[in-house]
Amino acid sequence: MDFSKGNMFLYQFLDDKKAWNFGETPLPFPAFQYGSLIITDDELLKELASVPRCNMTIEVDIIPLGAAVNDKKYERPANPSLCILADAKSGMMLHFGMNEPGEDVIASMEEELLGFIFEYGAPKKIRVTNVILEAGVEQICKTCGTKLRRVKRLPGIGEFLEEMKGRIL
């Protein structure tokens, strides 16, 4: 098998021939496709498309806390994640929330983003750091005409997290 060229070993039963087949074959998936949450509520999509615009650039990120949280309501220590929205220009935190273990972090982030959009208007740009977040907010951005950019770092959120680390330690 030449695994370095994206091939795999296949061992399967062929029903039509009633025989086993084995050998080298290309991988069935050359790259991971990130799923995106799709809003199916037509009324919500219609409202989102007609929302007024604001001249802001928003940074959006989901960050694992990286610390065990021992709480009686969880079976074992949990590692929750933080959902953060920030104004890119001022660095001001617009939302900072901790997700429960097992909660869909992309869905909760989308919910917070939608709340912001309906209250303040559709931002001019939204910046994210990875393809998972990008896939999560893509439909929202397309619907309300917001530019979506994936960047290496989010200065406003990064500065906030560094400040938080400095206060905790």
Side-chain angles (χ1 to χ4, degrees):
M1 299 301 115
D2 193 350
F3 297 110
S4 64
K5 290 189 178 174
N7 291 333
M8 67 178 195
F9 180 75
L10 176 69
Y11 188 66
Q12 70 180 18
F13 185 74
L14 302 172
D15 283 328
D16 57 337
K17 295 182 181 180
K18 304 289 186 218
W20 288 95
N21 180 33
F22 60 90
E24 186 174 0
T25 187
L27 284 170
F29 45 88
F32 184 77
Q33 296 296 315
Y34 296 99
S36 58
L37 296 175
I38 304 296
I39 300 170
T40 56
D41 183 341
D42 291 333
E43 195 172 306
L44 175 63
L45 289 169
K46 200 175 196 179
E47 280 183 56
L48 191 58
S50 65
V51 91
R53 303 192 46 81
C54 70
N55 195 26
M56 292 178 76
T57 298
I58 305 295
E59 296 178 351
V60 176
D61 210 353
I62 295 172
I63 299 163
L65 190 56
V69 174
N70 294 309
D71 195 320
K72 292 176 185 171
K73 63 182 175 181
Y74 309 129
E75 280 180 32
R76 55 186 178 266
N79 181 18
S81 57
L82 307 173
C83 175
I84 304 173
L85 273 70
D87 175 28
K89 186 176 180 183
S90 68
M92 182 174 86
M93 291 301 107
L94 304 171
H95 172 78
F96 180 84
M98 190 180 308
N99 294 306
E100 295 284 325
E103 185 178 356
D104 186 335
V105 293
I106 300 294
S108 68
M109 184 268 308
E110 278 189 344
E111 201 173 290
E112 292 303 327
L113 183 58
L114 285 170
F116 173 85
I117 290 171
F118 284 123
E119 189 167 339
Y120 301 104
K124 187 167 74 173
K125 286 184 198 164
I126 292 179
R127 295 181 185 153
V128 297
T129 56
N130 63 65
V131 292
I132 298 170
L133 287 171
E134 186 177 34
V137 299
E138 187 175 32
Q139 182 189 21
I140 293 172
C141 290
K142 281 182 181 176
T143 304
C144 62
T146 296
K147 288 183 183 178
L148 176 60
R149 292 212 40 220
R150 186 171 7 126
V151 296
K152 289 186 184 220
R153 56 186 220 80
L154 302 169
I157 291 176
E159 188 177 315
F160 172 74
L161 292 172
E162 286 302 314
E163 266 186 46
M164 290 292 288
K165 264 190 227 175
R167 292 177 194 265
I168 293 171
L169 299 176

